[in-house]
Amino acid sequence: MHDPQQCVAGAPIFAGLPAPIIAQLAQISTHQQPVAKGALLYAAGEPAERMLVVDSGRVKVFRTAADGTEHIMYLLEPRSVDSEAALFADVAHQNSAVAITDARVCSIRRDDFRELVATTPQLAVSLLSAFGNRLTMLENRSAGLGTLTAHDRLLRYLEDTGAHLRTNYFRLPMSKHDLAGWLSITPETLSRNLKQLVTEGRIAMQGQMVRVL
């Protein structure tokens, strides 16, 4: 059963906030809005009017280049927070977001949040820390992709996914097309390197199921 206070408290940017503030945040939040697989949560250029918290499912945030190429910026999983800047400024989305599985999202609208943060400045400090963490993550990922071959990027991704799930046997958490975009390689390069990893004895694969050996 969904608990609005646990949902808010589980978001990393609100970690450690006092229970009374969590309760206030829960009161101004909208919870468990259903989003079907493939549905757009927001599009680049649209006004950003709310912060999102993914309650269940997965969402990809991407940017489309002038030539139509899709670049995945980051993925949102349960308890991930997105569009924090919407709470502080009248801004437009720079990226687009689409559900890659059926999902449920919770949200806090800017106007409601501003009324609350006026009396609880600790919220603003917590969100600024979250911005710094997101920037560091994107910078580290960019640096890593720039120094690794496609083969090594893919192997690291599979090893990291297994470590995160605490198993060496798992289903790929996204489509191969999305995985190629996440790794900044073409689908053809992804397929070729998956086959190479199988040949090398680094992984075994059947369909979407992968075993890291």
Side-chain angles (χ1 to χ4, degrees):
M1 182 176 179
H2 181 79
D3 184 324
Q5 291 194 33
Q6 288 185 0
C7 174
V8 172
I13 62 168
F14 297 139
L17 290 178
I21 296 179
I22 294 296
Q24 289 176 293
L25 285 166
Q27 289 176 2
I28 66 170
S29 305
T30 299
H31 289 269
Q32 290 196 303
Q33 174 189 354
V35 182
K37 179 181 178 180
L40 199 65
L41 279 78
Y42 57 80
E46 291 182 349
E49 299 175 337
R50 60 178 182 158
M51 183 188 75
L52 300 174
V53 179
V54 177
D55 180 55
S56 64
R58 293 167 62 85
V59 174
K60 71 174 179 180
V61 178
F62 65 95
R63 181 172 297 180
T64 304
D67 63 1
T69 303
E70 180 183 290
H71 299 282
I72 299 177
M73 306 305 292
Y74 50 90
L75 298 175
L76 301 172
E77 298 183 341
R79 296 190 176 183
S80 294
V81 179
D82 190 50
S83 301
E84 301 97 325
L87 299 180
F88 295 99
D90 299 327
V91 295
H93 287 292
Q94 299 301 305
N95 305 310
S96 300
V98 64
I100 57 176
T101 68
D102 288 339
R104 291 185 181 273
V105 300
C106 307
S107 62
I108 300 177
R109 293 196 170 275
R110 177 171 57 244
D111 291 345
D112 297 328
F113 181 81
R114 283 179 173 177
E115 291 182 10
L116 180 59
V117 79
T119 58
T120 52
Q122 186 176 355
L123 280 173
V125 174
S126 181
L127 286 173
L128 287 172
S129 177
F131 293 153
N133 290 338
R134 173 73 60 81
L135 180 60
T136 298
M137 178 195 72
L138 291 175
E139 289 177 340
N140 288 342
R141 177 173 178 267
S142 178
L145 290 179
T147 57
L148 295 177
T149 65
H151 173 280
D152 290 344
R153 288 182 219 170
L154 176 57
L155 180 58
R156 174 176 291 184
Y157 170 81
L158 295 175
E159 290 175 341
D160 288 349
T161 298
H164 176 71
L165 297 174
R166 297 183 180 180
T167 178
N168 69 333
Y169 183 63
F170 54 87
R171 179 180 295 275
L172 286 176
M174 66 182 88
S175 70
K176 291 179 181 178
H177 177 272
D178 285 342
L179 177 55
W182 174 244
L183 297 174
S184 298
I185 60 179
T186 66
E188 293 77 15
T189 299
L190 174 66
S191 295
R192 184 169 60 253
N193 280 279
L194 283 171
K195 292 178 181 177
Q196 183 176 348
L197 288 173
V198 171
T199 300
E200 293 172 354
R202 308 298 293 272
I203 65 170
M205 190 166 188
Q206 184 174 9
Q208 291 285 107
M209 299 302 298
V210 177
R211 185 182 299 277
V212 179
L213 303 173

